[in-house]
C-alpha cells in the first residue's frame, strides 16, 4: 500500500485515527499519521494466499496462535502514538487480543510491499517491529520477487525469491511455497 505522510508538525494520537472519515485508512508511527492507499490486485492476492496457508496450518495442528489479515488494529507499543495495520499478524498470546485488536507486539508480522510502501516496510516498520518485540517479520515484495525474513529472536536475516519455499520460524513445520503464489500473480 502506498503511504503519504499526513503531517510532520504535530504529534498525533490514536484518538485521531478513530476520527478519520469512514473508509479512510491510516497508520500512526511515533505520533505521525501515514495515509494508506488502496491495495493492488497483486497485493491482495498475495495477502490472501499467505493468510490461507498460515490459517490452514494452525487449524491442522490445533495451534493456539491466531492469524489476522488487514485491516486489523495493532497497538504496537501499547501507547497512544503507535497504531499499525500489518498485512498479516499472527498472535500467540491471546491475552493481547481484544475486540479492538492486538495490544502489544504480534509474534509474526508480514508486510506486502507496494510501490508507495517500500521505504515504510523496509526501514520504518523494520525498526518499529524489532524494537516492539515482534519475534519474526517478513517483507514480501511481489515486484522484486523477493521475501526478506527477519528472525529477531536469533538476530538473523535471510533473503529468498518467489521460487523458494520459506519456513516460518515461529512454527516447527510451516513452509510457504512462494512459487505457487508467483504462478497466481502471473494470471
Amino acid at each position: 500500500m502506498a503511504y503519504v505522510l499526513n503531517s510532520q508538525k504535530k504529534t498525533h494520537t490514536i484518538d485521531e485515527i478513530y476520527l478519520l472519515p469512514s473508509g479512510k485508512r491510516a497508520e500512526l508511527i511515533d505520533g505521525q499519521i501515514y495515509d494508506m492507499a488502496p491495495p493492488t490486485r497483486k497485493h491482495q492476492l498475495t495477502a490472501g494466499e499467505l493468510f490461507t496457508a498460515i490459517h490452514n496450518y494452525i487449524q491442522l495442528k490445533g495451534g493456539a496462535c491466531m492469524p489476522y489479515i488487514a485491516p486489523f488494529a495493532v497497538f504496537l507499543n501499547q501507547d497512544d502514538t503507535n497504531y499499525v495495520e500489518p498485512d498479516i499478524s499472527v498472535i500467540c498470546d491471546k491475552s493481547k487480543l481484544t475486540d479492538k485488536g492486538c495490544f502489544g507486539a504480534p509474534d509474526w508480522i508480514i508486510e506486502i510491499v507496494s510501490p508507495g510502501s517500500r521505504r515504510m516496510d523496509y526501514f520504518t516498520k523494520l525498526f518499529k517491529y524489532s524494537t516492539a518485540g515482534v519475534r519474526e517479520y517478513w517483507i514480501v515484495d511481489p515486484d522484486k520477487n523477493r521475501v526478506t525474513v527477519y528472525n529477531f529472536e536469533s538476530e538473523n536475516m535471510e533473503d529468498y525469491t518467489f521460487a523458494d519455499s520459506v519456513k516460518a520460524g515461529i512454527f516447527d513445520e510451516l513452509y510457504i511455497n512462494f512459487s505457487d503464489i508467483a504462478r497466481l500473480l502471473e494470471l
Side-chain angles (χ1 to χ4, degrees):
M1 288 177 221
Y3 287 87
V4 177
L5 183 61
N6 191 308
S7 168
Q8 293 185 11
K9 303 218 185 270
K10 176 185 175 201
T11 299
H12 299 277
T13 66
I14 290 169
D15 291 338
E16 293 171 79
I17 295 292
Y18 282 103
L19 292 175
L20 293 173
S22 180
K24 181 173 173 122
R25 291 183 53 215
E27 293 184 312
L28 181 68
I29 298 177
D30 295 330
Q32 299 303 306
I33 295 177
Y34 295 86
D35 295 329
M36 299 169 67
T40 64
R41 180 191 66 83
K42 268 187 184 179
H43 182 282
Q44 290 301 86
L45 183 61
T46 303
E49 290 297 311
L50 290 169
F51 175 83
T52 299
I54 295 164
H55 179 266
N56 289 346
Y57 173 83
I58 292 169
Q59 293 287 6
L60 180 69
K61 296 295 182 179
C65 300
M66 298 291 299
Y68 294 91
I69 194 164
F72 177 74
V74 174
F75 305 92
L76 199 55
N77 296 91
Q78 297 186 50
D79 61 20
D80 69 344
T81 60
N82 287 283
Y83 165 97
V84 293
E85 293 183 1
D87 292 312
I88 298 172
S89 303
V90 178
I91 297 99
C92 299
D93 179 356
K94 290 185 179 158
S95 72
K96 293 181 179 181
L97 296 170
T98 72
D99 283 342
K100 284 191 166 192
C102 176
F103 285 82
D107 293 271
W108 181 17
I109 288 178
I110 300 174
E111 293 285 8
I112 299 152
V113 177
S114 296
S117 74
R118 189 166 305 285
R119 181 170 172 72
M120 179 69 72
D121 294 335
Y122 279 103
F123 298 103
T124 306
K125 287 187 173 182
L126 171 63
F127 175 76
K128 288 307 292 182
Y129 294 159
S130 70
T131 59
V134 172
R135 293 169 54 197
E136 185 168 353
Y137 175 41
W138 288 19
I139 302 172
V140 177
D141 195 333
D143 289 338
K144 294 190 178 225
N145 293 317
R146 178 179 169 184
V147 180
T148 305
V149 174
Y150 292 91
N151 183 325
F152 296 129
E153 291 180 318
S154 65
E155 298 180 5
N156 186 38
M157 187 274 290
E158 295 184 64
D159 274 320
Y160 299 91
T161 71
F162 271 43
D164 295 320
S165 185
V166 181
K167 183 184 181 309
I170 71 166
F171 296 117
D172 291 334
E173 301 170 338
L174 174 58
Y175 290 84
I176 296 179
N177 186 346
F178 276 87
S179 62
D180 292 341
I181 295 172
R183 277 192 290 281
L184 288 172
L185 293 177
E186 292 172 2
L187 299 177

